[in-house]
Short mmCIF file of all heavy atoms in Angstrom, two decimals:
data_model
loop_
_atom_site.label_atom_id
_atom_site.label_comp_id
_atom_site.label_asym_id
_atom_site.label_seq_id
_atom_site.Cartn_x
_atom_site.Cartn_y
_atom_site.Cartn_z
N THR A 23 16.65 0.95 0.40
CA THR A 23 17.70 1.79 -0.24
C THR A 23 18.92 1.82 0.55
O THR A 23 18.90 1.60 1.78
CB THR A 23 17.18 3.33 -0.35
OG1 THR A 23 18.06 3.96 -1.29
CG2 THR A 23 17.00 4.07 0.87
N SER A 68 26.01 -4.81 3.46
CA SER A 68 26.05 -6.05 2.84
C SER A 68 24.80 -6.87 3.01
O SER A 68 24.75 -7.89 2.47
CB SER A 68 27.37 -6.75 3.40
OG SER A 68 27.16 -6.96 4.83
N ARG A 80 9.99 -9.78 12.27
CA ARG A 80 10.25 -10.60 13.56
C ARG A 80 10.37 -9.81 14.79
O ARG A 80 9.87 -10.05 15.71
CB ARG A 80 11.54 -11.48 13.20
CG ARG A 80 11.66 -12.49 14.35
CD ARG A 80 12.97 -13.31 14.09
NE ARG A 80 14.12 -12.58 14.08
CZ ARG A 80 14.90 -12.34 13.03
NH1 ARG A 80 14.69 -12.97 11.82
NH2 ARG A 80 15.99 -11.57 13.14
#
Side-chain angles (χ1 to χ4, degrees):
T23 190
S68 61
R80 186 178 64 246

